[in-house]
Amino acid sequence: MASNSFRGSKRGRHAQANHDVGDFNCSLKELRSLMELRGPEGIARIQECYGDVEGLCTRLRTSPIHGLGGHADDIARRKEEFGQNVIPPKKPKTFLQLVWEALQDVTLIILEVAAIISLGLSFYRPPDAERENCGKAAGGVEDEGEADAGWIEGAAILLSVVCVVLVTAFNDWSKEKQFRGLQSRIEQEQKFTVVRGGQVVQVHVAEIVVGDVAQVKYGDLLPADGVLIQGNDLKIDESSLTGESDHVKKTLDNDPMLLSGTHVMEGSGKILITAVGVNSQTGIIFTLLGAGEDEDDDEEEKAEKERKKREREEKKKEKERRKKEKKEKKDKKDKLDKKSKSQDGAGVEMQALNSDDEGEEKKKAHPKKEKSVLQGKLTKLAVQIGKAGLFMSGLTVIILITLFMVDTFWIQGLPWIADCTPIYIQFCVKFFIIGVTVLVVAVPEGLPLAVTISLAYSVKKMMKDNNLVRHLDACETMGNATAICSDKTGTLTMNRMTVVQAYLGDRHYRVVPESDLIPGKVLDLLITGIGVNCAYTSKIMSPEKEGGLPRQVGNKTECALLGFVLELRRDYMTIRNEIPEEKLFKVYTFNSVRKSMSTVLKNADGSYRMFSKGASEILLKKCCKIMTASGEAKVFKPRDRDYVVKNVIEPMASEGLRTICLAYRDFPPVDGEPDWENETDILTGLTCLCVVGIEDPVRPEVPDAIKRCQRAGITVRMVTGDNIDTARAIASKCGIVHPGDDFLCIDGKEFNRRIRNQLGEIEQERIDKIWPKLRVLARSSPTDKHTLVKGIMDSTVLEPRQVVAVTGDGTNDGPALKKADVGFAMGIAGTDVAKEASDIILTDDNFSSIVKAVMWGRNVYDSISKFLQFQLTVNVVAVIVAFTGACITQDSPLKAVQMLWVNLIMDTFASLALATEPPTESLLLRKPYGRNKPLISRTMMKNILGHAVYQLTVIFTLLFTGEQIFDIDSGRYAPLHAPPSEHYTIVFNTFVMMQLFNEINARKIHGERNVFDGIFKNMIFCSIVFGTFVIQIVIVQFGGKPFSCVGLSIDQWLWCVFLGFGCLLWGQVRFSQVSNIRVVNAFQDTLSPYEGLETPESRNSIHNFMTTPEFRIEDSEPQIPLIDDTEGEDDAPTKRNAAQTLPPPSTLATLPSTPNQNNNAVDRIIPLYKESPKTGGIHQSAALPPRPGSPLHSLETSL
């Protein structure tokens, strides 16, 4: 690919003149068939039908240089003729389909069956047999009307089932709707660069039409099919369409076809859009998928099964063959080799690449996004509760039937009468319904609902905090994050770059020099070099507001260089107009391997001139000359280079400046045409023009955000492609590293040296030695980033696994973003590829938005915990009451319909009320919950059991002595179709009142005293509690037979409400007892300065000297920390509250104590002091350096 320019532009000008004349000389079908061809076939078709690409432009009434005119009627006509660039989404599920899915719930099906049997039997009348003959429980019906009302219970159960189903379906429907809204928002935000009327403009992807000339660049996801007009080093990843992972080089002479849905991995260019929407290659596949789903389903399934079977057999054979090979290899290899192989868990990357079966096993062990932490815990809990509920309900049914049989046939001594059989069956059905209601109340089907509501609510609110959540569970996983690997540029810094220093003509200018201080020849070379060797999409625009800063469009580093040209009072646009993009002979675009960009121009005399720019320490190695103050080039020796690095680059970098070297090279015609594909020969023998220092100021809010992260137990690491000195300077400005801390700052080369063995394989053990202390990884490649993320996630040094969040913006960040537990892509600077791979998009590219995501994530976790605390209290009480009541009185005090109402309060309403609590800053004052932290903390367990004891006491008192207290008839031992009683109504009403007040208690799960704190900020909560109260009044006063209720008097209501209010009082009583114990413990802690000072890790330090009795220290745990019993459990010792690990105590002594060369590390000192209980009661001594000036520090020094 020697030439990129397209040949002659007469046709282009002619085409532009005829923009809107007549119809298009090209049919939709013609273009579709053209885009189905690849490579030489495509070129042949273009030449045969249109002459060349410009011929195709002419036929489509567009210009390769000026694009479309951009007139609304022309655009509309093109949409009509060639279709819109929209692929219609798959039809959403209808409400009825969702209702049908909700009906599949097992417990609901059991209830429906029971209710239908109950209905059927209630209409059955035994012919002559007197009911009294069938036993005591069957007789004693007061009036005929009551017997006829037997159907009401069955109907009421069915009705409540319908309610539950509708609520579930509605929730699913709104979730689906919300998700579609989110998708459309993501799609609406996607814009693409096209040329219209000679102007480069950004249009929504849906507005692109056939005939548009689009500019494509590194990182773009192509929105439509097109034919290349002009390209610079363009490489495309077509794996999404072809499955081939190799990047395809696109040139005019080779393969000019670009397809929608593919990614630009390198280079830039211009394409003519030839197919959009359903007519593009991606659109055709989507259409086929949509149509193929309904037809050929069975055939496809069969074929699929066959294929899978064959694959399995092949894999088996392959595995066996590999095993044999491995065995042979093992015998041959030496001990060293054996050692490296035995580290099977080390996940050697090269091995994984070469061997499919190993890769697959790893995939099984570590799927990409396994169930999110919370979902995993919830599923486990729901299954356990479900099993317990099933056992209890089965036991209830067995006991009820046994008691009934014993009472009827043994105690009463009645014979079995055939006519009584239906009545006996009716009893059995009644018992069965009681059993099922116990199960219904026990099974917490509200859990998934609470999770969904909480996540949906959070996602909606997170949008306001500049977090666009693409995967719902990412929001909750973020609350568990223990490590964040962040990019520097744009995330921690403002991504508004300016040149502030320069090294020009043997002189280091601390501010940008005046143009008359620079030799004319050097200045001209500089201006031309910057003008042509920056992407033409990068430019400086006039400010949006009067007096504002100029707008930087495109790559920010290039914008800084263009700004430098403007500061030298020159205009880069004059250069660009003289040398348009089409005249560039060859462009080597920037990528993470080259770390430089070069542009070649062909001169009139047949010679070539190449301009290069790139990372200064890399490009200076390629320079053999340097321009002097006189404007002449002098020889640039290694000694001179060392001088420049030491006295120019390092001082600039230590001030946090990014250093860029600008150079050029001439290729005289006598040498003939160079081999442009041989990059190493091309990019040598350069002449250095200057080195500039570019400042990218740290965002003002970042240091505070990082401090909040560290306080919340999250370690922030910076992974950047920048120079190590620049990275370290920015890291200390941000507060990622602090002077005197024991941390590591290394570059990619050193990182790779440390983590690989002699065979060049990555070992997990080696990564484990580095990552706990690593804070800055500089000059890193995307592979290094992926390796680091994978290494931290696979590590078992700490607890089973760290939860890692990663930020990225480049195409190459895709693998790391996908691998991490949560991937953040930059909404402004991020490429489409990065956004595709991410879970959350930061719409403002700001690090402080990540902190908000952490806050929301923790809030989700807490919301679920609040809901669990509330639900489990109701579960425990309702199940015990139903079970005990049924066994003692042969009837459940809470009827099936009442239970379903309670279930509705517990599940739907409570999940709505408790899952919509807004987050508070206090969420960031505690460590992350680990992956293995139990969902129900000790404090929550105490709350659940404490409140259950109170509620059970009240219910049983009312159940067995209520009739005496209120002077009413007893409701116990009522016959089959007896009317509702006041007694059981009071029991039911009190039970519901207690749940309502306990819902207020459930708002706090970390043992806070004030349960009303911030209650009026959550209006949903207030309205739900109030609404439930009103509905309860209606049910009790007017519910009648269906709800087994009788209207109560004012006195009885007041008693019910008072007993319910008792829940709040009981909560305060319980809290006071716990507080007293805590205060005493805290007081004892303050009395004894040495109490609990020692941790097992510190024994190998100065404690060896302390053999005197007063220094002998017992191991002691503070019994109850001030915040929560379990907050500190399972948490590793941390440094500056950052979640950092230490090796086990045995290895501490052997740790290397010499600081690394790139490192501010100090020798490890095992300090004496203990972290105050306020931060969660965690022993932190093993990781914190003693605070200078503290009494303990001086004590240690003197010892």
Side-chain angles (χ1 to χ4, degrees):
M1 176 194 134
S3 171
N4 283 332
S5 57
F6 58 73
R7 306 140 182 104
S9 63
K10 273 183 196 169
R11 255 197 192 121
R13 284 196 295 278
H14 167 71
Q16 200 219 351
N18 292 319
H19 260 206
D20 305 306
V21 183
D23 276 320
F24 311 104
N25 302 331
C26 234
S27 71
L28 177 62
K29 198 176 172 189
E30 210 177 300
L31 290 173
R32 258 180 82 156
S33 63
L34 169 67
M35 291 320 293
E36 279 163 12
L37 302 173
R38 305 274 182 278
E41 294 170 359
I43 295 171
R45 172 71 66 88
I46 291 172
Q47 285 170 350
E48 181 189 319
C49 300
Y50 315 103
D52 57 9
V53 179
E54 289 162 57
L56 182 56
C57 290
T58 313
R59 293 274 279 275
L60 286 172
R61 306 261 176 264
T62 184
S63 153
I65 295 169
H66 301 286
L68 294 175
H71 308 303
D73 52 344
D74 178 38
I75 302 289
R77 206 167 74 247
R78 286 172 189 273
K79 281 184 182 173
E80 204 178 305
E81 182 87 19
F82 300 109
Q84 279 186 297
N85 195 24
V86 176
I87 295 171
K90 199 177 165 189
K91 277 184 186 168
K93 284 178 181 166
T94 61
F95 189 69
L96 284 175
Q97 280 172 307
L98 292 170
V99 166
W100 177 244
E101 277 178 18
L103 272 169
Q104 309 298 312
D105 189 57
V106 184
T107 38
L108 289 181
I109 292 171
I110 298 172
L111 265 183
E112 289 154 25
V113 172
I116 290 164
I117 296 173
S118 166
L119 263 179
L121 288 170
S122 66
F123 291 123
Y124 176 79
R125 289 279 166 272
D128 340 317
E130 289 189 9
R131 295 177 67 90
E132 277 80 1
N133 297 343
C134 302
K136 270 192 294 188
V141 175
E142 280 79 0
D143 61 57
E144 282 301 307
E146 287 297 345
D148 294 335
W151 62 273
I152 291 179
E153 189 170 29
I157 292 176
L158 281 180
L159 190 69
S160 38
V161 165
V162 168
C163 281
V164 172
V165 165
L166 288 176
V167 167
T168 313
F170 178 74
N171 271 310
D172 286 346
W173 177 79
S174 55
K175 184 171 79 177
E176 175 101 356
K177 191 175 157 213
Q178 216 169 12
F179 182 70
R180 287 189 174 269
L182 180 68
Q183 283 295 93
S184 64
R185 177 164 171 192
I186 292 173
E187 280 159 20
Q188 279 164 15
E189 286 195 344
Q190 226 180 352
K191 289 189 169 183
F192 210 75
T193 313
V194 295
V195 181
R196 284 191 182 168
Q199 294 296 312
V200 176
V201 290
Q202 291 241 319
V203 297
H204 282 294
V205 165
E207 291 301 307
I208 292 174
V209 291
V210 169
D212 257 325
V213 173
Q215 289 193 343
V216 297
K217 61 183 187 308
Y218 158 80
D220 282 346
L221 177 72
L222 297 182
D225 292 353
V227 178
L228 190 66
I229 297 175
Q230 172 261 327
N232 304 318
D233 207 14
L234 200 58
K235 285 183 186 162
I236 306 285
D237 174 11
E238 292 188 349
S239 58
S240 55
L241 282 180
T242 61
E244 295 294 324
S245 54
D246 291 345
H247 297 168
V248 183
K249 203 166 187 182
K250 297 287 178 182
T251 61
L252 283 170
D253 324 320
N254 228 348
D255 181 4
M257 305 300 192
L258 282 88
L259 308 172
S260 60
T262 58
H263 295 126
V264 182
M265 299 310 280
E266 236 178 84
S268 60
K270 271 190 199 167
I271 63 168
L272 168 68
I273 302 294
T274 52
V276 293
V278 287
N279 300 306
S280 66
Q281 292 303 300
T282 306
I284 293 168
I285 291 172
F286 270 101
T287 318
L288 286 175
L289 279 177
E293 267 171 19
D294 311 327
E295 312 158 14
D296 326 322
D297 240 10
D298 300 336
E299 284 176 31
E300 272 181 24
E301 271 179 31
K302 280 180 194 168
E304 186 70 11
K305 277 181 187 169
E306 279 294 307
R307 192 174 62 75
K308 279 186 180 168
K309 201 178 175 185
R310 277 203 305 275
E311 272 180 13
R312 270 201 299 271
E313 283 169 9
E314 279 170 20
K315 270 180 194 162
K316 246 187 184 174
K317 285 178 189 169
E318 185 71 7
K319 265 189 182 176
E320 281 168 16
R321 188 177 64 73
R322 283 221 168 101
K323 269 183 189 169
K324 277 185 186 173
E325 279 179 17
K326 262 191 188 172
K327 219 176 179 185
E328 286 165 19
K329 275 184 191 172
K330 248 185 185 174
D331 300 338
K332 285 178 195 170
K333 290 209 174 185
D334 55 16
K335 281 178 190 173
L336 173 88
D337 209 85
K338 271 182 194 165
K339 186 189 162 197
S340 68
K341 278 279 183 199
S342 68
Q343 325 264 339
D344 213 25
V348 174
E349 233 182 23
M350 284 157 76
Q351 257 173 277
L353 288 174
N354 302 337
S355 144
D356 293 350
D357 56 314
E358 271 180 47
E360 259 169 43
E361 276 163 29
K362 290 220 174 73
K363 265 182 209 158
K364 277 174 203 161
H366 241 315
K368 146 55 187 150
K369 298 267 186 228
E370 51 196 45
K371 253 192 192 163
S372 75
V373 184
L374 184 63
Q375 279 171 329
K377 289 179 180 178
L378 281 178
T379 314
K380 203 168 158 191
L381 186 74
V383 169
Q384 286 168 344
I385 295 174
K387 281 178 184 168
L390 201 60
F391 172 72
M392 290 297 275
S393 64
L395 201 59
T396 310
V397 175
I398 293 166
I399 290 174
L400 282 172
I401 293 175
T402 312
L403 282 175
F404 173 72
M405 296 292 186
V406 169
D407 182 51
T408 308
F409 300 117
W410 191 31
I411 296 170
Q412 293 178 41
L414 292 176
W416 182 286
I417 302 167
D419 290 338
C420 287
T421 308
I423 289 177
Y424 296 151
I425 291 174
Q426 224 163 333
F427 266 108
C428 289
V429 169
K430 179 186 166 186
F431 298 150
F432 184 60
I433 287 176
I434 291 169
V436 171
T437 43
V438 171
L439 178 64
V440 168
V441 175
V443 172
E445 62 265 43
L447 274 180
L449 188 65
V451 177
T452 306
I453 291 173
S454 185
L455 287 175
Y457 169 76
S458 303
V459 165
K460 216 171 190 172
K461 295 283 183 190
M462 281 169 81
M463 278 192 188
K464 291 178 186 162
D465 284 341
N466 303 308
N467 284 295
L468 189 74
V469 182
R470 293 180 71 245
H471 301 133
L472 271 182
D473 60 343
C475 152
E476 163 264 309
T477 310
M478 201 51 216
N480 284 297
T482 54
I484 298 174
C485 295
S486 173
D487 264 4
K488 175 178 77 72
T489 311
T491 315
L492 301 173
T493 58
M494 288 170 74
N495 205 12
R496 188 181 169 83
M497 306 213 187
T498 41
V499 172
V500 288
Q501 294 188 22
Y503 177 74
L504 261 166
D506 291 342
R507 192 168 159 205
H508 185 174
Y509 295 94
R510 293 283 167 181
V511 290
V512 176
E514 292 293 319
S515 55
D516 49 11
L517 294 175
I518 302 169
K521 185 183 174 188
V522 176
L523 188 63
D524 291 344
L525 283 168
L526 208 54
I527 306 300
T528 312
I530 293 173
V532 298
N533 194 32
C534 287
Y536 280 44
T537 47
S538 301
K539 44 187 176 290
I540 307 272
M541 312 278 275
S542 49
E544 281 174 347
K545 289 175 193 157
E546 194 83 15
L549 291 166
R551 278 184 303 145
Q552 296 186 338
V553 178
N555 182 300
K556 298 295 186 278
T557 309
E558 295 185 333
C559 287
L561 294 171
L562 296 173
F564 178 49
V565 170
L566 297 176
E567 276 192 70
L568 293 172
R569 301 205 180 92
R570 295 297 175 94
D571 184 12
Y572 63 88
M573 277 317 289
T574 51
I575 302 287
R576 287 186 174 183
N577 293 337
E578 274 173 39
I579 311 168
E581 204 172 353
E582 296 77 44
K583 285 193 183 171
L584 303 180
F585 180 76
K586 168 93 180 152
V587 178
Y588 297 97
T589 50
F590 180 89
N591 65 28
S592 55
V593 179
R594 285 189 190 121
K595 292 238 187 283
S596 68
M597 174 178 174
S598 306
T599 301
V600 183
L601 300 177
K602 189 170 185 177
N603 300 327
D605 61 357
S607 65
Y608 299 94
R609 175 167 283 172
M610 178 177 77
F611 291 100
S612 295
K613 69 169 191 294
S616 51
E617 65 268 41
I618 292 171
L619 220 56
L620 279 177
K621 285 178 185 165
K622 313 270 174 79
C623 292
C624 64
K625 290 180 180 177
I626 189 165
M627 293 304 252
T628 58
S630 60
E632 297 302 316
K634 70 165 187 181
V635 177
F636 189 54
K637 293 176 183 157
R639 191 176 62 244
D640 303 329
R641 182 170 60 240
D642 294 343
Y643 173 81
V644 171
V645 169
K646 206 171 175 63
N647 297 308
V648 178
I649 294 173
E650 283 180 6
M652 280 186 186
S654 63
E655 290 172 41
L657 304 185
R658 167 181 281 191
T659 56
I660 299 286
C661 172
L662 301 166
Y664 80 103
R665 178 185 176 183
D666 282 328
F667 297 91
V670 288
D671 297 348
E673 185 159 334
D675 175 8
W676 298 112
E677 298 307 314
N678 186 350
E679 275 183 55
T680 41
D681 286 357
I682 299 292
L683 208 65
T684 49
L686 304 177
T687 304
C688 174
L689 287 168
C690 82
V691 174
V692 292
I694 297 177
E695 183 183 42
D696 185 8
V698 171
R699 287 178 183 266
E701 64 276 22
V702 161
D704 181 53
I706 286 178
K707 199 180 279 173
R708 284 162 71 201
C709 271
Q710 290 166 342
R711 201 169 51 218
I714 301 167
T715 312
V716 182
R717 293 180 175 83
M718 182 202 284
V719 183
T720 176
D722 235 332
N723 175 318
I724 188 156
D725 298 318
T726 309
R728 194 191 278 122
I730 298 283
S732 59
K733 278 183 190 172
C734 293
I736 291 176
V737 297
H738 302 273
D741 266 5
D742 181 9
F743 61 81
L744 269 181
C745 288
I746 55 176
D747 59 13
K749 204 179 264 179
E750 172 70 4
F751 175 69
N752 275 298
R753 189 185 66 72
R754 289 193 185 196
I755 63 170
R756 293 179 189 273
N757 59 21
Q758 284 104 315
L759 301 174
E761 295 166 335
I762 295 166
E763 287 185 359
Q764 183 64 41
E765 270 188 10
R766 288 166 180 260
I767 297 178
D768 288 345
K769 284 179 187 168
I770 294 176
W771 74 259
K773 286 190 191 178
L774 184 70
R775 291 293 174 274
V776 176
L777 182 59
R779 281 278 180 258
S780 66
S781 69
T783 325
D784 297 340
K785 194 173 191 174
H786 182 262
T787 308
L788 176 66
V789 171
K790 186 175 180 299
I792 296 177
M793 283 170 66
D794 292 349
S795 174
T796 50
V797 175
L798 250 190
E799 49 166 23
R801 189 151 92 72
Q802 292 268 303
V803 179
V804 185
V806 168
T807 69
D809 52 6
T811 305
N812 295 326
D813 290 331
L817 287 171
K818 252 200 162 65
K819 176 70 193 168
D821 292 287
V822 182
F824 285 90
M826 302 299 141
I828 302 166
T831 60
D832 296 343
V833 182
K835 289 177 191 172
E836 278 291 300
S838 70
D839 301 295
I840 298 178
I841 295 171
L842 294 179
T843 51
D844 63 345
D845 287 16
N846 194 334
F847 185 84
S848 59
S849 300
I850 299 176
V851 182
K852 286 177 185 160
V854 172
M855 208 154 84
W856 276 106
R858 292 188 173 189
N859 192 52
V860 169
Y861 206 96
D862 277 10
S863 296
I864 305 304
S865 299
K866 289 171 190 173
F867 173 69
L868 263 178
Q869 180 174 308
F870 172 71
Q871 169 139 35
L872 291 181
T873 310
V874 188
N875 274 16
V876 170
V877 175
V879 170
I880 293 176
V881 167
F883 175 71
T884 317
C887 296
I888 296 171
T889 66
Q890 291 187 35
D891 184 11
S892 172
L894 298 171
K895 300 291 181 286
V897 179
Q898 294 174 350
M899 288 275 216
L900 282 167
W901 164 235
V902 169
N903 211 26
L904 203 65
I905 301 177
M906 291 193 320
D907 287 354
T908 310
F909 296 157
S911 58
L912 252 175
L914 293 168
T916 52
E917 289 271 320
T920 57
E921 276 291 323
S922 61
L923 289 167
L924 293 175
L925 296 177
R926 58 171 175 76
K927 301 281 172 282
Y929 291 128
R931 281 182 177 270
N932 293 352
K933 184 88 159 208
L935 205 50
I936 302 162
S937 69
R938 209 178 295 170
T939 311
M940 283 168 64
M941 204 66 215
K942 285 175 190 164
N943 287 346
I944 291 167
L945 295 176
H947 287 296
V949 167
Y950 170 78
Q951 292 188 17
L952 286 170
T953 311
V954 172
I955 295 281
F956 284 136
T957 307
L958 288 177
L959 188 57
F960 296 112
T961 60
E963 70 273 30
Q964 293 150 16
I965 296 171
F966 290 104
D967 193 23
I968 46 175
D969 294 332
S970 169
R972 295 193 301 281
Y973 305 110
L976 188 58
H977 290 300
S981 63
E982 268 184 304
H983 182 195
Y984 272 21
T985 306
I986 289 174
V987 171
F988 164 61
N989 200 22
T990 307
F991 180 69
V992 172
M993 287 301 117
M994 287 195 291
Q995 300 328 318
L996 274 183
F997 284 102
N998 194 31
E999 203 165 322
I1000 298 171
N1001 271 331
R1003 291 184 66 247
K1004 303 292 173 194
I1005 51 170
H1006 296 301
E1008 298 93 328
R1009 172 155 233 155
N1010 183 3
V1011 290
F1012 291 100
D1013 181 32
I1015 194 166
F1016 294 112
K1017 284 182 187 165
N1018 187 359
M1019 289 322 291
I1020 301 177
F1021 183 87
C1022 298
S1023 49
I1024 281 179
V1025 171
F1026 181 70
T1028 314
F1029 186 65
V1030 172
I1031 298 171
Q1032 179 65 14
I1033 294 173
V1034 174
I1035 286 176
V1036 170
Q1037 296 305 107
F1038 311 106
K1041 177 72 178 163
F1043 279 95
S1044 311
C1045 286
V1046 184
L1048 299 178
S1049 66
I1050 290 288
D1051 282 1
Q1052 289 165 337
W1053 261 103
L1054 287 173
W1055 272 108
C1056 291
V1057 173
F1058 172 71
L1059 288 170
F1061 184 72
C1063 269
L1064 288 175
L1065 299 175
W1066 174 248
Q1068 294 303 309
V1069 170
R1070 279 199 56 262
F1071 183 82
S1072 302
Q1073 294 167 344
V1074 176
S1075 293
N1076 291 340
I1077 299 167
R1078 288 180 183 188
V1079 170
V1080 169
N1081 279 351
F1083 180 63
Q1084 285 174 345
D1085 270 2
T1086 54
L1087 279 181
S1088 163
Y1090 299 114
E1091 175 81 49
L1093 240 171
E1094 185 199 16
T1095 59
E1097 287 92 336
S1098 58
R1099 277 200 198 121
N1100 59 3
S1101 72
I1102 61 169
H1103 289 289
N1104 301 338
F1105 299 106
M1106 299 184 176
T1107 44
T1108 48
E1110 63 269 26
F1111 275 112
R1112 199 161 285 140
I1113 301 162
E1114 295 298 321
D1115 266 351
S1116 80
E1117 273 289 317
Q1119 285 308 305
I1120 301 177
L1122 287 180
I1123 292 179
D1124 178 27
D1125 251 307
T1126 54
E1127 291 306 312
E1129 292 173 12
D1130 309 331
D1131 277 337
T1134 55
K1135 161 175 350 187
R1136 288 196 174 256
N1137 292 354
Q1140 172 212 340
T1141 33
L1142 275 172
S1146 55
T1147 60
L1148 263 174
T1150 62
L1151 279 174
S1153 61
T1154 50
N1156 172 265
Q1157 67 235 12
N1158 293 325
N1159 188 1
N1160 304 2
V1162 292
D1163 283 341
R1164 173 177 292 281
I1165 301 167
I1166 305 297
L1168 248 174
Y1169 89 95
K1170 171 186 161 192
E1171 179 75 346
S1172 74
K1174 281 178 195 162
T1175 57
I1178 300 159
H1179 286 301
Q1180 295 196 328
S1181 43
L1184 275 144
R1187 291 172 185 168
S1190 72
L1192 288 173
H1193 183 256
S1194 54
L1195 165 73
E1196 187 162 355
T1197 322
S1198 61
L1199 279 163

